[in-house]
Amino acid sequence: MLTKKQLDLLEFIHKRVQADGVPPSFDEMKAALDLRSKSGIHRLITALEERGFIRRLAHRARAIEIVKLPESLGGEPTAGFTPRVIEGDRPKGPRPANVEPVSVDALELPVMGRIAAGVPIEAISHVSHHVAVPGPMVSGQGQHYALEVRGDSMIDAGINDGDVVVIRETSTADNGDIVVALVEDQEATLKRYLRRGNAIALEAANPAYETRVLPEEKVKVQGRLVGLIRTY
């Protein structure tokens, strides 16, 4: 779940290291990605470091080391979106008479970081931990993953700060769906999806937040909400 800009920068650094033996300068990165300031490169570098793709070495010029690559750049497969079945616990010994067996199935999903339900922020797209969810919640087709919610813009839809949302990976949505939306390939947010002609409205479920209306080419659906887990 790297953004396009993050993936482009990682690919540029990787190619330069392979060709020259040293990573490019910040000015070269800025020019290659057509950014107006080096602050944007700093944000992208920090995001790649947080996700474990690069490492910055102290007290050395151009001290960026490639740690791993995503599969799209020839890296090894990662845990990604491969759920694992967790067997329900069963008591040992014979089952008491007249008690029907109850099968409890769960799937373990990767928690792929945080998603904004407020002012948009970047989703942190590495696996921070796993969470067990009921099998019926993810019984539909497609891959699933989980995200931690940060913010209160969806409270009127029953989604609170700190909740874990279960997302079915998809690139399409119907009007009214609550989706993970990637805005301008840079920021991810959890909002209600509404199409308005050639524009997409990302609507909060909290009157304190304004609806954002963007050209359709600036919004990419990355998943649709199918469940929610709350810890008390």
Side-chain angles (χ1 to χ4, degrees), residues 136-149:
M137 188 180 290
V138 292
S139 59
Q141 294 182 347
Q143 305 283 5
H144 294 76
Y145 59 96
L147 292 165
E148 295 178 357
V149 173

Side-chain angles (χ1 to χ4, degrees), residues 5 7 41 46 53 59 100 172 177 197 199 224:
K5 287 289 187 185
L7 188 62
I41 294 295
T46 299
F53 288 97
H59 311 302
E100 292 297 322
T172 62
D177 285 346
R224 183 171 65 84

Side-chain angles (χ1 to χ4, degrees), residues 187-218:
E187 57 188 30
T189 188
L190 187 72
K191 293 290 184 291
R192 194 174 300 280
Y193 175 97
L194 298 167
R195 175 173 288 277
R196 297 179 179 176
N198 293 325
I200 302 298
L202 299 177
E203 183 181 80
N206 182 337
Y209 294 84
E210 293 184 357
T211 297
R212 297 181 69 187
V213 181
L214 298 150
E216 61 180 345
E217 65 271 14
K218 292 190 176 183

Side-chain angles (χ1 to χ4, degrees), residues 2-3 5-7 9-10 13 26 29 33 35 38-56 63-65 67 114 122-126:
L2 288 179
T3 68
K5 287 289 187 185
Q6 291 163 3
L7 188 62
L9 180 59
L10 183 60
I13 295 171
F26 273 52
M29 296 180 205
L33 271 69
L35 296 179
K38 285 192 282 189
S39 63
I41 294 295
H42 280 284
R43 287 194 296 271
L44 292 171
I45 288 289
T46 299
L48 290 173
E49 187 175 31
E50 288 175 344
R51 290 154 175 75
F53 288 97
I54 64 171
R55 177 166 51 235
R56 284 185 282 192
I64 297 174
E65 178 184 15
V67 177
R114 304 180 186 94
E122 281 190 336
I124 301 175
S125 57
H126 65 274

